[in-house]
Amino acid sequence: LKVAATPANMNVVSSHARFARSLKGNENVVLVEFGEGKPGDVKMFTRLVQPTHAVVTGLAPAHLDQYKTVQAAGEDIFCVTKNLPASQVFVNTESRKTAAFMKDGFIGYSREQVGAYTVSHQHTDLHGTQFKLHYGTKTIDCQSGLVGLHHIGPLAAAAMLCLELGLTEKQLKTGLAKTIPYEHRMQPYRLNGAWVIDDTYNGNLEGIRAGTALLQSLSGKRKLYVTPGLVEQGKNTARIHEEVGQLIAAANPDIVVLMNNSTTPHIKRGLAQTKNFTGEIIVQDDPLDFYSHLADFVAAGDIVLLQNDWTDNYA
């Protein structure tokens, strides 16, 4: 199969146009990411691209300064499914808020199952993720360079699509083994004997949930969690960041580093609501200085999770 896909986060109209110009016309499969930012975005992308299949990767509080509510964001996102056969719509059922938009025939995917395919023997660590995919009487041992159990559902959905498009089991296994993290998206690297997981491109509550679950599952001499919080949460900023604090506390890091901004008091309040959290909280006034000198802050044996980043236009 000849496959073309929009690279990295090239998911808006201008980048779609550049991508379209790069196509040869002989592709069997074209993958286009839709990056919603305001009401009507996905409806517009759908009209322009006219997809034959849709994969809804999740629904979380994001861009609420524009959408105002998660319901409004969901209505825009799910409009991509409007004119498609239900059997050609894949929806991440681990993303809790997608449940309100599920319809009969949609194919839900999770780390346990996708359609008639089931998943077992899930494992993840800082070197990658493994699982077994079962369909009919067959079992495929799958290996990916992606880190985190939350990746298993999308990988299983991709595997189902690939097999139904005619790929062999060997081709599927080879392709899955080549999947590695994009830059700044749950990307582990070594620093002075510590493991740093760079997830600074992440920008929503579901990403926080996945990252803190990973941190909780890992063992290290010390566990450190670093975040400035989330942007564009609208009137839900306080509530969402209190939940962020609770999720961080549940991961039980030894040190939590917060960047001093408008979300900091809300995250600290959420941390305080978890009675058994005993970690140290450090508030940094100069994020650039902290990240520039991260090597001086960590020690051999540490596991450090960096989640989210704020550009200079956010206060």
Side-chain angles (χ1 to χ4, degrees):
L1 291 175
K2 292 185 181 295
V3 180
T6 50
N9 62 322
M10 306 292 282
N11 55 19
V12 297
V13 171
S14 58
S15 53
H16 286 173
R18 290 195 296 273
F19 171 67
R21 288 198 297 270
S22 74
L23 297 176
K24 305 299 183 184
N26 62 346
E27 294 84 2
N28 303 107
V29 179
V30 177
L31 303 172
V32 182
E33 180 186 358
F34 293 179
E36 83 288 351
K38 62 183 184 302
D41 276 354
V42 177
K43 184 177 181 179
M44 174 188 62
F45 294 146
T46 302
R47 186 179 70 251
L48 293 172
V49 176
Q50 298 184 27
T52 60
H53 294 68
V55 180
V56 179
T57 58
L59 176 58
H63 307 298
L64 294 186
D65 58 330
Q66 296 291 327
Y67 282 108
K68 306 305 179 187
T69 66
V70 175
Q71 175 70 22
E75 290 170 358
D76 189 30
I77 290 169
F78 273 83
C79 77
V80 71
T81 71
K82 186 175 180 181
N83 296 314
L84 294 179
S87 61
Q88 291 169 202
V89 175
F90 292 75
V91 179
N92 180 4
T93 54
E94 290 183 353
S95 181
R96 305 174 186 187
K97 296 185 183 298
T98 61
F101 297 91
M102 288 293 287
K103 294 182 179 179
D104 290 343
F106 283 5
I107 300 172
Y109 67 84
S110 70
R111 69 193 70 182
E112 305 293 339
Q113 187 167 5
V114 51
Y117 294 63
T118 58
V119 180
S120 69
H121 296 81
Q122 304 95 333
H123 175 75
T124 193
D125 56 30
L126 291 170
H127 301 284
T129 299
Q130 304 86 40
F131 61 95
K132 293 181 181 292
L133 183 69
H134 310 277
Y135 68 108
T137 60
K138 297 184 177 181
T139 295
I140 303 176
D141 293 314
C142 300
Q143 168 77 42
S144 168
L146 299 176
V147 174
L149 293 177
H150 63 289
H151 286 301
I152 292 178
L155 289 168
M160 176 181 172
L161 271 169
C162 289
L163 290 170
E164 296 192 354
L165 286 170
L167 267 67
T168 66
E169 292 182 14
K170 181 179 179 181
Q171 288 172 322
L172 171 63
K173 292 177 67 173
T174 300
L176 288 175
K178 292 180 179 179
T179 54
I180 59 174
Y182 279 118
E183 189 177 15
H184 308 306
R185 296 162 174 83
M186 210 69 85
Q187 180 186 35
Y189 65 89
R190 284 288 202 175
L191 180 66
N192 288 355
W195 275 107
V196 177
I197 307 167
D198 181 353
D199 195 34
T200 51
Y201 189 78
N202 167 46
N204 64 58
L205 187 59
E206 291 302 308
I208 295 276
R209 197 182 308 280
T212 51
L214 174 65
L215 184 63
Q216 185 177 22
S217 71
L218 299 173
S219 298
K221 185 176 180 180
R222 295 187 307 172
K223 294 184 186 181
L224 295 81
Y225 183 91
V226 181
T227 189
L230 298 166
V231 300
E232 298 180 349
Q233 300 300 300
K235 65 181 181 181
N236 295 298
T237 295
R239 178 185 60 80
I240 288 168
H241 283 92
E242 286 182 18
E243 186 171 353
V244 168
Q246 294 165 9
L247 290 169
I248 297 169
N252 199 29
D254 298 284
I255 299 174
V256 176
V257 181
L258 304 176
M259 303 305 154
N260 194 10
N261 58 48
S262 57
T263 72
T264 307
H266 308 308
I267 298 175
K268 291 176 73 174
R269 191 176 305 117
L271 286 164
Q273 290 168 358
T274 307
K275 303 300 182 183
N276 56 356
F277 173 68
T278 58
E280 180 184 1
I281 300 173
I282 299 173
V283 178
Q284 288 284 339
D285 291 322
D286 189 340
L288 180 59
D289 181 72
F290 174 79
Y291 289 118
S292 299
H293 295 89
L294 183 62
D296 300 328
F297 190 77
V298 303
D302 287 350
I303 296 177
V304 187
L305 176 59
L306 312 176
Q307 282 204 291
N308 314 109
D309 190 17
W310 282 32
T311 53
D312 291 341
N313 56 310
Y314 294 106

